[in-house]
Amino acid sequence: MNKTIRNPAIGHRVTFLQTADQTNGKLLQIMYAVEVPETKPAIPLHIHSQCAERFEVVDGQLGVVLDGERRLLGAGEEVYIPSGTPHTFWNAGDGALRFITDVRPPGQLQTYWETIFGLAEQGKVGRNGLPNLLQLAVIAPLADSYPPNIPIPITQLIIKLVGGIGRLLGYKESYS
C-alpha cells in the first residue's frame, strides 16, 4: 500500500510510489496531485544542487517554469529538470492535475515532504503551505532546495544560523 500525504493549505497531495529505501537510495518516485487550478505556482522558484527531477503528466495540465522558460504540458508529456536548474510548477488546467515525479538521487526529500505536509495537516503552516521561518530553516537542509538568485553557500549559512535558533527554540527536522 502506497503512503499518501496531504497539504490542505495549498491543496497538494503526494503518494509515494517508490521510496529511497525501496530503491537503495537511487530513486524517489511520487504521484503529485494538485486538486484545484492555480493561477501561479504555490512552490517558489528553486534549484536542487544534487538531484534531478522528471515530471510526467498523467491527468490535467502542468505549468512549468524551467530556467526562465514557461511551458504547458498535457497528459503523456514530460520534462526533465537537471540539478542546478531554476524551476517551479503549478496546476495550469481547469481541473485536477496528477503527475509522476522521479527524483534522482532522492536524498532526504521524502522526509522533507512528510514533515512539511504533516505540519500542514496539523494546521502549523501558513496559507502558502509552509511553516514559519524558524521551522522552515530547521527542515530546509533535507530538501536540497535553494533560491536561484542567492549563492548556495550564502543560503546555507543563513539556513544554518536561523535553523540553529529554531533548534534552540525546540523545532525539529522531522516529527513522528
Side-chain angles (χ1 to χ4, degrees):
M1 180 85 165
N2 295 327
K3 178 180 177 180
T4 298
I5 57 176
R6 191 169 173 272
N7 186 329
I10 56 174
H12 291 199
R13 188 175 65 247
V14 168
T15 300
F16 296 101
L17 304 176
Q18 293 185 71
T19 66
D21 286 345
Q22 293 169 324
T23 64
N24 293 319
K26 292 183 168 102
L27 169 70
L28 174 62
Q29 185 179 66
I30 63 169
M31 176 68 71
Y32 204 109
V34 182
E35 298 164 7
V36 296
E38 300 169 312
T39 56
K40 62 182 182 171
I43 310 293
L45 189 68
H46 62 282
I47 62 171
H48 299 288
S49 67
Q50 303 294 316
C51 67
E53 294 177 290
R54 183 186 68 87
F55 298 163
E56 180 184 350
V57 181
V58 176
D59 295 307
Q61 187 170 50
L62 174 66
V64 177
V65 173
L66 180 63
D67 207 14
E69 180 185 331
R70 188 178 172 109
R71 296 186 191 176
L72 296 176
L73 304 172
E77 295 183 300
E78 63 182 63
V79 63
Y80 178 74
I81 304 160
S83 64
T85 303
H87 65 284
T88 189
F89 66 88
W90 70 100
N91 179 355
D94 295 328
L97 165 69
R98 289 186 321 133
F99 64 100
I100 294 172
T101 300
D102 291 345
V103 182
R104 295 175 194 267
Q108 296 180 294
L109 267 176
Q110 180 175 345
T111 302
Y112 173 80
W113 279 324
E114 287 170 336
T115 302
I116 294 286
F117 282 43
L119 290 168
E121 286 282 358
Q122 296 171 20
K124 296 180 179 178
V125 300
R127 288 184 315 182
N128 65 354
L130 295 173
N132 69 56
L133 183 62
L134 293 170
Q135 176 67 78
L136 188 59
V138 171
I139 299 168
L142 299 173
D144 178 44
S145 183
Y146 304 96
N149 54 347
I150 301 172
I152 291 174
I154 301 293
T155 303
Q156 289 172 326
L157 178 62
I158 293 167
I159 288 171
K160 190 172 276 196
L161 293 171
V162 176
I165 295 167
R167 278 186 283 287
L168 287 173
L169 293 174
Y171 292 104
K172 300 177 186 172
E173 251 183 16
S174 63
Y175 299 88
S176 56

